[in-house]
Amino acid sequence: MASSCAKPHLIISLFVGCLLFASPARPAVSPSAAVNSTTLPVKHSRISAHLKRVNKPAVKTIESPDGDLIDCVPSHLQPAFDHPKLRDHKPSDPPERPKGYSLSSTVDASFQAWSISGESCPEGTVPIRRTTREDMLRASSVQRFGRKPAARRLRRDSTSTGHEHAVGYIIGDQYYGAKASLSVWAPRVTSASEFSLSQIWVISGSFGNDLNTIEAGWQVSPQLYGDNRPRFFTYWTSDAYQETGCYNLLCSGFVQTNNRIAIGAAISPTSALNGGQFDIDLLVWKDPKHGHWWLELGSGLLVGYWPSFLFSHLAEHANMVQFGGEIVNAQTSGFHTSTQMGSGHFAGEGFRKASYFRNLQLVDWDNSLIPLSNLRLLADHPNCYSIQGGVNAVWGNYFYYGGPGRNVRCP
């Protein structure tokens, strides 16, 4: 897993000026205070109810050095089984690995901060990062907590308002999975409403309201996690981020089968500028026997699966696969954000400076891993974040990507 070369929000400002006159015996109460006196208890009541639903009873709790609480939850009580179609569901047997699969890195689950001390969750449980009241108060609403903003405009080249990308993608066939190694960095995110991520997208649909995606990688998201650490994450949607899906295990859907990986937990170590590079291997593929989409981290660590019934188009196959980086540019100061993508350095700076994806592969209809033959590269704001690719005998299909955001050419 580690390389040997020692990676809508609608902001409404409301200015209300009012002058209330009242007798000394009855102090004036502003409209905003009156509203807050009723809405705040309702919001806190909703938060308490949501926390009760999402935080399941644990047989053990581990305190991570970074402050996270990791609950060891009995597998059958995990959030996935709140889904109506998963009640009384028996977890699927491990899938057949794709042909051409090989152990390309050493399995080491201690790359996450919570497990560095040697603590672990017992067999028969899954480690789940505990959601706190503070996590939920940072969200735009209780209803949208743990979910991406609903997409109002989607285009096949991946651009949408406020979201900027540097990606490699392949389109035009039927795809049954993807694999890559991606370097892990800790990019600077300058606004709480922004994020920076590096991931694999497995996509199907018309890029309208029926868009299906499966996503996995690492991200820095102050709003979701309350800090600037890179964290292993997953996401899914079957309706273009509107009503279905969520990050990690923050809703029912993804079935976790591993007791060593906590989705949403911080990754450590990370890559260093001009120093050691740390990358993780990710494989997402469709089990040919049961049709579920499985996620593997490293070589051999099956994290879990997205049941096929969660999706419409992805119940059959993907029609696009995408690799790369994404940031949110909130332009809170009227300028382009200084939030970094990848390492914060442009693709042209190369190894030990720029973030990378290497050994890009696809899974075909025959459950075989195959190299990419027509990877397309796209940087929708190349003066802010760039991408540059190639092919060689060691890294196969690869690319460098990223950038600093705001600079003299990206005002």
Side-chain angles (χ1 to χ4, degrees), residues 57-76:
V59 301
K60 177 181 179 180
T61 297
I62 300 168
E63 185 169 357
S64 174
D66 60 11
D68 281 353
L69 294 177
I70 306 298
D71 290 327
C72 303
V73 175
S75 180
H76 66 282

Side-chain angles (χ1 to χ4, degrees), residues 83-124:
H83 196 289
K85 292 186 178 180
L86 281 173
R87 289 171 187 161
D88 302 320
H89 173 82
K90 180 181 177 182
S92 184
D93 295 329
E96 176 188 350
R97 298 303 203 289
K99 303 176 186 71
Y101 171 94
S102 62
L103 296 176
S104 58
S105 65
T106 303
V107 176
D108 182 4
S110 65
F111 78 99
Q112 291 191 304
W114 72 275
S115 58
I116 290 175
S117 66
E119 289 270 21
S120 62
C121 283
E123 291 291 334

Side-chain angles (χ1 to χ4, degrees), residues 168-181:
Y169 67 98
I170 188 166
I171 193 170
D173 205 342
Q174 297 180 359
Y175 310 109
Y176 296 82
K179 185 176 187 294
S181 299

